[in-house]
Amino acid sequence: MTYTVPHFVGGQKISGGERTSEVLNPSTGKVQGAVPLASAQEVDEAIANAAEAQLGWAKTNPQKRIRVIMKWIQLINENIDDIATTLSLEHGKTFEDAKGDIIRGIDVLEFSLGAPHLLKGEYTTSAGTGIDVYSMRQPLGVVAGITPFNFPAMIPLWKAGPALACGNAFVLKPSERDPSVPVRLAELFIEAGGPAGVFNVVHGDKTAVDAILDSDTIQAVGFVGSTPIAQYIYERCAATGKRAQCFGGAKNHALILPDADMDQVVDALIGAAYGSAGERCMAISVAVPVGEETANELRKKLEERIPELKVGHSLDPQASYGPVVAKSALERIHSLIGEGEQAGAELVIDGRSAGATDEEFNGESLKDGFFIAPTLFDHVTPEMSIYTEEIFGPVLTIVRAETFEDAIKLPTEHAYGNGVAIFTRNGGAAREFAERVQVGMVGINVPIPVPIAYHTFGGWKASGFGDLNQHGPDSFRFYTKTKTVTSRWPSGDATGADFAMPQMD
Ligand code: NAD
């Protein structure tokens, strides 16, 4: 039985046109559904619907808006197991990991409950004689989110929560690879009392994205995905005068100093490199041990631990991680592993053949699933493509460094700058590292330093275009514009026209 995922516009599920894309179950490789790919006209209709609904939503006081979000949080929590199952079956991440995807999204909805406080303006009395100055934050209008496949709940919620709390209407163009969860989230928003048309989901490919970028109504675009598309969207938004924040790919390093707790390091690296099949923008893909002794010990422990991992169906509770999202992703990972071998890196553990399996899960064959077992390279050097490119698969590379200075240079000089970690017991070294490294998010003995919802999330260099981060206070700045009013009331003592710039005295 296959299903068709609807668009969600004006508070209703609506079917799309003829153009569709397959929705696969990555664990079996089988087609399980279809998703419509919207035409420009369908996108325009959704945007027009949102524009109408936004006027009333913006007038609703912020406390009433956040009551809807409070109820929305409750409904998502009540339905979390069903949503996580759908997410797992379309994405391929394990059920527990899928729950984490949803919960880290809810975190940002919870932060957004602070909207009445965060939207308060500023006021200066008597800035000049009889003059008061105040500023207010107003919603932008209709804003759009364009999101990737790898966090189909978390990232749409990171965008929708603050955008809606600020009084905007939101049009989401989620990934066409795992489209069901965003529709369910929008549906629950309406069930929570959100007005129809305030949160719309339109599926599609480049045609739908370009319609968003060309729309005169859309005021801001929040994008997350690969770097080439992030840059394209950022440039096109600049050309059409839209506010944009566009987050791209990553290559996250973990430095391991000789005094690190090696058992803690190995636990951290195994989870951060192989969890979710390495399909996280904060996955660690480069381990940088400092000194030969550290490198040898790290490699030995990784070699002992990696074979214990189990790759399986995403709903298999025994699985450490599931398949990658698509056959094309699997082929790309295989090809990069081949390039690494050819370039002279040592392929210590090759996950390629071990990925194929004759097993079954709940009576379903896994032989066509997109599986790849954990892969480990040693003696990788900075000019190799397995170092320069984002692999986005369960591949960990070891780049050996002689000194701290050699090690810090690697993430600092890499084109990407999303996340980075350092493992050490030396507070001074950790502090210096955090201060000097040219990367947006830093972990100290923490491998995946995704900031909590009330701080902000954003990478540097090719990992992020735009000056404001996601969630935290930045999101309230991104989704509002500031209006500043300078006021004076007639006092009856006119002093004549002023031809010089007014000075506040
Ligand atoms: P992607 O760039 O292929 O797709 C992202 C979105 O852009 C999707 O909605 C897709 O439909 C759309 N899109 C794809 N091709 C397009 C085109 N030619 N023109 C217009 N729109 C297009 O990314 P993905 O494969 O879905 O996600 C994985 C990538 O996202 C990785 O590079 C990962 O590092 C990155 N990512 C980054 C962050 C971050 O915060 N920096 C977070 C999660 C994922």
Side-chain angles (χ1 to χ4, degrees):
M1 267 290 272
T2 59
Y3 54 85
T4 302
V5 183
H7 299 301
F8 192 83
V9 178
Q12 314 240 334
K13 291 178 173 175
I14 58 167
S15 46
E18 305 252 296
R19 248 170 27 96
T20 58
S21 179
E22 291 175 339
V23 180
L24 300 172
N25 177 342
S27 298
T28 61
K30 299 227 162 32
V31 176
Q32 57 183 344
V35 58
L37 302 175
S39 64
Q41 195 191 334
E42 285 171 307
V43 174
D44 287 345
E45 282 165 14
I47 294 171
N49 203 295
E52 218 171 290
Q54 192 265 336
L55 300 174
W57 182 240
K59 282 198 189 123
T60 307
N61 80 51
Q63 208 169 352
K64 284 193 176 156
R65 288 201 299 260
I66 63 125
R67 283 185 191 140
V68 173
I69 295 179
M70 238 187 295
K71 179 78 182 165
W72 191 23
I73 294 170
Q74 182 198 330
L75 293 177
I76 297 172
N77 276 316
E78 283 170 12
N79 288 278
I80 196 163
D81 284 358
D82 283 351
I83 301 172
T85 304
T86 306
L87 197 162
S88 171
L89 287 171
E90 289 189 355
H91 175 286
K93 64 176 73 174
T94 62
F95 176 75
E96 280 308 316
D97 199 23
K99 273 175 97 168
D101 188 328
I102 300 161
I103 288 165
R104 291 305 294 256
I106 290 174
D107 285 353
V108 172
L109 298 189
E110 288 171 347
F111 171 74
S112 304
L113 299 179
H117 174 69
L118 290 159
L119 292 172
K120 279 190 311 201
E122 294 173 331
Y123 193 98
T124 303
T125 184
S126 299
T129 310
I131 291 184
D132 301 324
V133 179
Y134 59 96
S135 56
M136 50 184 140
R137 293 192 170 280
Q138 296 188 322
L140 302 178
V142 185
V143 299
I146 300 167
T147 53
F149 81 84
N150 69 327
F151 281 99
M154 182 182 87
I155 295 180
L157 292 176
W158 282 12
K159 311 262 171 233
L164 293 167
C166 290
N168 300 287
F170 185 62
V171 176
L172 173 68
K173 205 305 285 171
S175 171
E176 61 278 29
R177 285 182 163 156
D178 42 15
S180 293
V181 167
V183 173
R184 184 72 185 122
L185 294 172
E187 197 180 24
L188 290 175
F189 175 77
I190 299 297
E191 218 175 300
V198 164
F199 184 174
N200 305 281
V201 182
V202 195
H203 304 288
D205 53 8
K206 184 169 168 30
T207 304
V209 169
D210 285 349
I212 288 172
L213 302 180
D214 289 343
S215 162
D216 290 335
T217 306
I218 296 287
Q219 299 298 308
V221 176
F223 172 86
V224 179
S226 59
T227 290
I229 312 297
Q231 191 156 12
Y232 164 72
I233 288 177
Y234 193 62
E235 286 170 7
R236 195 124 169 207
C237 283
T240 55
K242 291 179 179 54
R243 193 177 282 200
Q245 52 174 199
C246 300
F247 298 95
K251 194 79 180 176
N252 306 314
H253 298 59
L255 268 64
I256 301 112
L257 302 196
D259 66 350
D261 175 335
M262 199 52 90
D263 289 326
Q264 188 198 13
V265 169
V266 171
D267 278 347
L269 286 186
I270 295 271
Y274 302 121
S276 200
E279 290 177 323
R280 290 182 181 136
C281 68
M282 290 293 271
I284 293 286
S285 52
V286 186
V288 187
V290 175
E292 279 300 292
E293 219 175 289
T294 316
N296 294 339
E297 191 190 351
L298 173 71
R299 173 173 161 168
K300 185 168 157 283
K301 285 186 186 273
L302 285 171
E303 279 186 274
E304 283 162 13
R305 291 284 302 281
I306 288 172
E308 292 168 7
L309 302 189
K310 176 173 160 57
V311 187
H313 189 290
S314 63
L315 292 180
D316 181 347
Q318 306 300 321
S320 316
Y321 68 85
V324 295
V325 71
K327 189 157 188 224
S328 56
L330 186 66
E331 287 169 353
R332 188 174 167 276
I333 298 164
H334 279 207
S335 148
L336 277 160
I337 293 173
E339 285 178 29
E341 271 186 299
Q342 271 176 12
E346 185 187 348
L347 185 52
V348 182
I349 299 176
D350 183 356
R352 286 174 297 185
S353 57
T357 171
D358 291 330
E359 282 177 35
E360 287 194 347
F361 178 76
N362 278 353
E364 283 190 302
S365 164
L366 304 185
K367 84 174 168 28
D368 293 324
F370 312 132
F371 297 103
I372 171 163
T375 296
L376 180 67
F377 273 107
D378 195 1
H379 300 289
V380 173
T381 52
E383 71 290 348
M384 295 177 181
S385 61
I386 49 167
Y387 179 74
T388 54
E389 287 197 32
E390 179 183 44
I391 300 175
F392 224 52
V395 180
L396 179 63
T397 58
I398 299 177
V399 180
R400 294 174 176 236
E402 278 182 28
T403 63
F404 174 78
E405 284 304 321
D406 295 337
I408 194 173
K409 248 178 147 180
L410 289 163
T412 294
E413 292 182 358
H414 203 284
Y416 292 113
N418 211 39
V420 72
I422 185 167
F423 290 89
T424 180
R425 289 186 167 94
N426 181 334
R431 189 170 182 276
E432 184 180 344
F433 176 77
E435 197 167 294
R436 283 174 52 195
V437 73
Q438 294 298 303
V439 174
M441 292 171 281
V442 181
I444 297 175
N445 298 310
V446 171
I448 303 191
V450 176
I452 42 176
Y454 38 100
H455 284 255
T456 72
F457 180 109
W460 289 8
K461 300 182 282 187
S463 298
F465 303 88
D467 52 359
L468 289 173
N469 280 350
Q470 304 187 88
H471 64 67
D474 272 11
S475 58
F476 278 73
R477 291 188 193 107
F478 183 73
Y479 288 115
T480 54
K481 54 196 170 189
T482 306
K483 184 180 279 173
T484 308
V485 180
T486 304
S487 80
R488 174 162 59 192
W489 294 95
S491 58
D493 52 353
T495 53
D498 232 336
F499 294 98
M501 273 298 283
Q503 294 161 30
M504 292 294 180
D505 52 19

